[in-house]
Amino acid sequence: MFKRMLSAFGVGGPSVDTVLDSPHATPGQLVTGQVRIQGGSADAEIGQVVLSLVTRVEVEHGDHEYGGVSEFLRVVVAQSVRVAAGQPVSIPFQLPIPWETPITAVGGAQLPGMTVGVRTELVIAGAPDKGDLDPVLVHPLPSQDAVLTAFGQLGFGFRSADVEAGRLHGVPQELGFYQEIEFFPPAHFAGRIQQVELTFVASPHELFVILEADKRGGMFSSGGDAFGHFRLSHQEAQVADWATSVNGWLAQVAERGGAYHGYDQHGYDQHGHHGGHHGRGMGMGTVVAAGAAGVVGGMVMGEMLDDAFEDFGDFGE
């Protein structure tokens, strides 16, 4: 990002510019870079240099929903930094991306509405000076990408994505929120299913995949939500036949209201058959890109990040 003058020092004070080695990452990786401070007209001392990861989170309160910027990782990368007048100071850093970090890019296309950023904060004389956000494009893990690829094969259409505050029943979570990626159902389910929401919760060793289908009510049947729950190791998830499993689960939802269907921790379905490779169809990146085109038009990533965080206050986990 562009250098920003540190307001706490007034005119002629030092400026700061945080530079990422690469804006691309996946959950579980390290983001590396440098915080570059350029000395101003006089010597200065910065108490702490703090980097944090933030994302936009929706919070439901009664019948209302509001958004805020949630900080979900905070790292002090330097303390008591002396900046001589006119001299540059470079502070290298490594920032771990939590396994539950929301996905913000699929197949080269940014998910509309999804933003994760690195925020630079300098503590000067005990007061924080919060800087600009540097966007991070968080790509899916190979295990997550296998699920998204199956959604593309089945003909799902991307609808929207957001991050919801709260916790999922029966799923271990470290962060106080979870991502929901919403899809229009394949054409042959369109009259019976309104939408399907996909949530990933990853850890170093396994992946939880939670599906929620909104079933349409009919003359002789009631609507409502139905859930599917899958739990596999990352290795098993990469080779599982997700297209067959998701299509089968959705058929159950459409016909009978969503009886449980999913893989156990060993990667086998209810009938004891191990998932195999499935023929590749349209990639989810293409699906997302097509949906994004109608939502954001020609907006560039930086503008999307600025717009997404604009006018929202901070709140904790």
Side-chain angles (χ1 to χ4, degrees):
M1 304 290 278
F2 294 108
K3 287 186 177 180
R4 179 180 53 85
M5 302 300 293
L6 301 183
S7 58
F9 289 107
V11 177
S15 61
V16 63
D17 182 22
T18 299
V19 179
L20 304 179
D21 292 333
S22 171
H24 300 277
T26 58
Q29 280 190 341
L30 290 173
V31 168
T32 60
Q34 297 180 2
V35 178
R36 299 173 180 172
I37 303 172
Q38 177 62 45
S41 58
D43 293 350
E45 183 166 338
I46 298 171
Q48 287 186 331
V49 178
V50 182
L51 295 180
S52 59
L53 287 174
V54 297
T55 191
R56 186 181 184 277
V57 176
E58 300 291 336
V59 180
E60 291 186 6
H61 185 71
D63 295 331
H64 303 284
E65 186 174 73
Y66 64 92
V69 177
S70 179
E71 177 183 281
F72 60 98
L73 180 75
R74 185 177 181 85
V75 178
V76 177
V77 296
Q79 300 192 68
S80 301
V81 179
R82 185 110 179 130
V83 184
Q87 297 299 308
V89 175
S90 182
I91 303 169
F93 65 83
Q94 293 184 331
L95 201 60
I97 304 297
W99 287 91
E100 295 175 22
T101 299
I103 295 167
T104 66
V106 178
Q110 177 145 357
L111 285 174
M114 291 308 309
T115 50
V116 169
V118 176
R119 182 166 61 191
T120 305
E121 181 178 317
L122 299 149
V123 180
I124 303 163
D129 188 333
K130 294 182 179 180
D132 295 328
L133 290 165
D134 291 273
V136 178
L137 289 174
V138 183
H139 299 267
L141 295 161
S143 55
Q144 296 168 328
D145 193 52
V147 181
L148 292 168
T149 296
F151 269 65
Q153 294 168 353
L154 291 170
F156 282 87
F158 174 77
R159 180 175 183 176
S160 65
D162 66 2
V163 177
E164 300 282 342
R167 295 185 177 274
L168 298 163
H169 178 70
V171 180
Q173 290 174 252
E174 291 188 357
L175 303 180
F177 55 71
Y178 55 92
Q179 182 180 27
E180 288 185 340
I181 307 175
E182 297 183 1
F183 296 91
F184 295 108
H188 57 287
F189 289 114
R192 295 171 289 173
I193 304 294
Q194 287 185 304
Q195 67 181 35
V196 176
E197 296 174 356
L198 168 64
T199 293
F200 294 119
V201 178
S203 72
H205 305 294
E206 60 186 1
L207 177 69
F208 287 83
V209 178
I210 299 92
L211 302 176
E212 179 180 354
D214 185 0
K215 185 183 179 185
R216 291 180 183 272
M219 184 178 298
F220 302 107
S221 62
S222 60
D225 295 335
F227 296 85
H229 187 133
F230 302 78
R231 177 189 178 188
L232 293 83
S233 72
H234 290 290
Q235 293 78 11
E236 291 164 340
Q238 288 184 57
V239 299
D241 187 353
W242 287 107
T244 298
S245 297
V246 172
N247 188 68
W249 171 78
L250 202 56
Q252 291 180 8
V253 171
E255 296 300 325
R256 300 194 298 273
Y260 174 86
H261 177 85
Y263 289 114
D264 64 16
Q265 63 269 29
H266 302 294
Y268 290 86
D269 64 23
Q270 291 179 326
H271 303 289
H273 299 122
H274 194 275
H277 292 286
H278 194 85
R280 298 184 65 88
M282 180 183 293
M284 184 48 62
T286 305
V287 173
V288 170
V295 177
V296 298
M299 295 174 65
V300 298
M301 182 186 66
E303 292 172 346
M304 290 177 65
L305 184 77
D306 293 340
D307 292 345
F309 283 104
E310 189 177 4
D311 298 330
F312 289 98
D314 291 351
F315 58 87
E317 296 180 14

